[in-house]
Each structure stands twice: as structure tokens, then as C-alpha cells.
């Protein structure tokens, strides 16, 4: 009997550590998805480096308490799965939100963003943000604009002087 309790304690600690280590963790209700749909979702998440697990709610609640994320306990009702991402803050929310749009059976319930409990609305706002590469691309284009405009003006002045000199 004590070995079972020890295994459960290890699982609770594993879940708590995943919540602590994750940039983002999103809790979803997967009830109503068939095996093929769940397999497709797992494939998309795995390709993005996201860990997608189903745990018993009692163990997840204990892990949430251990990780000091008590407000998350309210959403841990019914069949739940948790997507953990240690690298990309936006990816789990974006992938799950896009999947939920195509498959109404998937319901996003809440989650944790950078160590703070997030509501469904906050998760959906996060899902609308571009990924890291997209943000870097936007930043670079903003930084390039003044240089590009200066180059155009310089070229226009040079062409104008060339026309006047000819």
C-alpha cells in the first residue's frame, strides 16, 4: 500500500514541477474528441515541443496546490488534459485555440502563463499573438523602416541632382 502512495506522491511532484518549469500550461476538456482527433492534436503539440498529458484531477489539484496555483483548481473538473510548454509561451495557446475552432468538442478551460493563473480570455488573447519568429520579424521591420526610408530619400536626391546636371 505504501508503494502506491509513494508512486502517487512522485506523480504529484512531477506534475507540480511541470507547472513550475513551464512558460505556459493550458488545461483543456477533450471530451467528445475521437481517437483520430486526439492523435492529430497530440501530433501538432509534439511537433511544437509541447508535452500533452492526461492526469487524474485529484493528483493535478494536489500538484497545483504544491505549485501555489490554487486558483487553477476551479477548472479541474471532468476529463482534463494539460499542455505544458517550457520553451514557447504562445504555441500551446495558439495550437489549442486553432484546434478548438475546427473541433468544437475541445474546450479550453484555463491555464498558467509564466507562473500566474490565467483565465480563458487571457489564454485566447495569448493565442492571437504571433509566435517568437513572427515577433522578431515585426521588430526587425520596424527597425529597418527608418534606414530604408533614408535610403529612398538619398536615392531620390541623387537621381534629382543627376537629372539637373544632365
Amino acid at each position: 500500500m505504501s508503494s502506491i502512495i509513494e508512486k502517487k506522491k512522485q506523480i504529484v511532484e512531477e506534475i507540480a514541477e511541470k507547472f513550475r518549469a513551464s512558460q505556459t500550461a493550458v488545461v483543456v476538456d477533450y471530451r467528445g474528441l475521437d481517437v483520430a482527433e486526439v492523435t492529430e492534436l497530440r501530433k501538432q503539440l509534439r511537433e511544437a515541443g509541447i508535452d500533452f498529458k492526461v492526469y487524474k484531477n485529484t493528483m493535478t489539484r494536489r500538484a497545483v496546490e504544491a505549485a501555489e496555483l490554487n486558483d487553477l483548481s476551479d477548472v479541474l473538473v471532468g476529463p482534463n488534459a494539460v499542455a505544458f510548454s517550457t520553451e514557447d509561451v504562445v504555441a500551446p495557446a495558439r495550437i489549442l485555440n486553432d484546434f478548438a475552432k475546427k473541433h468544437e468538442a475541445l474546450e479550453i478551460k484555463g491555464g498558467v502563463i509564466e507562473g500566474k493563473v490565467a483565465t480563458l480570455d487571457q489564454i485566447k488573447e495569448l493565442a492571437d499573438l504571433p509566435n517568437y519568429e513572427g515577433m522578431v520579424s515585426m521588430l526587425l521591420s520596424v527597425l529597418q523602416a527608418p534606414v530604408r526610408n533614408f535610403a529612398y530619400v538619398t536615392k531620390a536626391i541623387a537621381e534629382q541632382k543627376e537629372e539637373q546636371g544632365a
Side-chain angles (χ1 to χ4, degrees):
M1 180 95 148
S2 65
S3 66
I4 294 171
I5 293 172
E6 286 302 316
K7 286 181 184 177
K8 287 183 178 183
K9 284 181 181 179
Q10 288 176 347
I11 292 171
V12 167
E13 186 53 40
E14 172 190 323
I15 300 167
E17 186 54 39
K18 284 186 178 190
F19 273 112
R20 286 185 204 109
S22 295
Q23 293 283 323
T24 306
V26 180
V27 179
V28 295
D29 181 347
Y30 59 91
R31 205 176 354 194
L33 293 178
D34 62 30
V35 174
E37 292 169 333
V38 172
T39 303
E40 175 61 26
L41 177 59
R42 285 182 185 274
K43 180 179 177 243
Q44 288 178 21
L45 292 168
R46 188 175 33 253
E47 287 172 355
I50 300 165
D51 190 19
F52 188 69
K53 294 275 190 171
V54 176
Y55 294 109
K56 288 188 173 190
N57 285 338
T58 53
M59 291 190 195
T60 308
R61 277 191 205 101
R62 288 186 178 146
V64 162
E65 289 172 14
E68 298 177 5
L69 301 165
N70 296 328
D71 294 341
L72 194 60
S73 293
D74 299 341
V75 299
L76 298 174
V77 178
N80 294 307
V82 186
F84 298 99
S85 176
T86 57
E87 298 169 13
D88 192 346
V89 177
V90 178
R94 186 174 18 85
I95 292 169
L96 290 168
N97 193 43
D98 291 348
F99 198 86
K101 287 177 184 175
K102 296 174 190 163
H103 304 88
E104 292 179 13
L106 184 73
E107 176 192 353
I108 299 173
K109 296 172 115 182
V112 178
I113 301 171
E114 294 185 336
K116 294 190 171 71
V117 176
T119 64
L120 175 62
D121 293 334
Q122 291 170 325
I123 301 272
K124 290 194 177 195
E125 284 176 23
L126 182 65
D128 292 336
L129 291 175
N131 63 5
Y132 178 78
E133 288 81 16
M135 287 186 207
V136 169
S137 173
M138 293 165 100
L139 175 66
L140 290 176
S141 67
V142 167
L143 293 174
Q144 274 183 328
V147 175
R148 187 175 36 243
N149 292 342
F150 179 73
Y152 287 143
V153 169
T154 307
K155 182 179 177 188
I157 291 172
E159 289 174 354
Q160 185 181 22
K161 289 194 178 211
E162 192 174 290
E163 286 176 9
Q164 288 175 352

